[in-house]
Amino acid sequence: REVPHRHLCQRICRFPPHVLSQFICAEALTSRPMWLLSLAFASLSMPRRRADSIETAIAVIGGFGLRAFVLDSRFVPSESMEPTFEVGDLLLLEKVSFRVRPATRGEVVCFRAPPALAKGTPQGACYIKRVVAVGGDEVEVSDGCLFVNGKAVAEPYLRGRISYRLRQLYVPSGHVFVLGDNRDHSYDSHSWGCLPEGLLLGRPLCTFWPLERIRGRRAFNQAPPQPRRFLTERRPTWLSRRVAALQPG
């Protein structure tokens, strides 16, 4: 999305201050920073009361702070996490919990590009995988199954059995080992090694788009979801059932 024209920003800024503030806070989760900056400068240049300008400035600062340190929205660009996440799914990412508790086995995380992927990766790119081992663990893939510390791990969320082999690997302290749920179509730790914990961005809270795939964090560790019937199918009404009963044959 390109930065909007100056006149468009000025037209938006003619809304009442409380409406404009709510709009900026909502856009903070989905828009690029330059859109908010352009909107903020246009608002401050409008002939408003001083209190209105202060309110708009607070909304801009709050929107940036919300997206940078608390909540962010991300989309899934590849099939590496299918069937848990499909291409185009939008999810809400929280960035607070990693400051109070480290990553644990089995949870889905988002992270910045590791050193092996940093070259050629767009700035601000975010990856999503599942943590299968943490610092001090030994991980291995054999006979289509994942082993952590010598024990097979039950993974009902996988796309299918793993076709590759991975020799026993020790995960050093301060690192995690991440894999995609679509193991045979995921570029992850089995290719480029362990991930430093300092690159972790946050944990997905939920998926919110498309509507038939809305799910919370607990569902990410379960078997592949079925589409919600009330959003994908039209339930027969009382009249349609009566009409169907009258049909011959």
Side-chain angles (χ1 to χ4, degrees), residues 14-226:
R14 291 193 178 95
F15 288 109
H18 68 282
V19 175
L20 179 60
S21 301
Q22 295 174 4
F23 174 78
I24 291 176
C25 289
E27 283 292 300
L29 288 178
T30 56
S31 298
R32 296 181 180 178
M34 289 306 299
W35 158 257
L36 291 179
L37 287 177
S38 180
L39 185 60
F41 287 133
S43 175
L44 293 176
S45 65
M46 295 292 290
R48 293 180 175 274
R49 293 180 302 142
R50 183 177 181 181
D52 295 344
S53 298
I54 293 176
E55 183 178 350
T56 302
I58 292 175
V60 173
I61 295 173
F64 275 111
L66 179 69
R67 185 168 187 179
F69 302 108
V70 183
L71 289 174
D72 198 358
S73 62
R74 298 285 180 170
F75 78 98
V76 179
S78 71
E79 60 181 9
S80 66
M81 282 297 291
E82 290 182 352
T84 306
F85 301 98
E86 295 186 358
V87 177
D89 282 359
L90 294 180
L91 55 87
L92 194 62
L93 179 69
E94 62 89 7
K95 300 182 176 181
V96 178
S97 61
F98 276 138
R99 298 171 188 162
V100 295
R101 65 181 180 90
T104 58
R105 301 185 199 98
E107 67 178 355
V108 179
V109 297
C110 292
F111 55 92
R112 294 188 294 272
L117 301 178
K119 186 177 181 180
T121 301
Q123 186 176 5
C126 176
Y127 296 84
I128 180 169
K129 305 291 180 187
R130 187 181 300 272
V131 176
V132 299
V134 297
D137 288 341
E138 292 182 346
V139 60
E140 179 185 5
V141 176
S142 178
D143 297 327
C145 185
L146 172 71
F147 293 84
V148 177
N149 298 326
K151 297 181 179 180
V153 180
E155 299 180 291
Y157 37 76
L158 292 188
R159 168 65 78 185
R161 289 178 60 86
I162 311 173
S163 63
Y164 60 82
R165 291 179 57 89
L166 178 68
R167 294 183 179 181
Q168 191 175 74
L169 176 70
Y170 176 78
V171 182
S173 178
H175 291 71
V176 293
F177 198 86
V178 295
L179 297 175
D181 289 352
N182 192 2
R183 297 286 159 86
D184 290 344
H185 298 86
S186 176
Y187 190 52
D188 47 34
S189 287
H190 91 275
S191 299
W192 43 259
C194 299
L195 175 73
E197 291 183 347
L199 296 179
L200 295 175
L201 286 175
R203 296 176 169 94
L205 279 177
C206 63
T207 54
F208 61 90
W209 190 264
L211 295 179
E212 63 268 17
R213 289 182 54 79
I214 293 178
R215 297 182 301 137
R217 179 185 294 176
R218 291 184 179 180
F220 300 159
N221 294 331
Q222 300 173 0
Q226 296 296 327

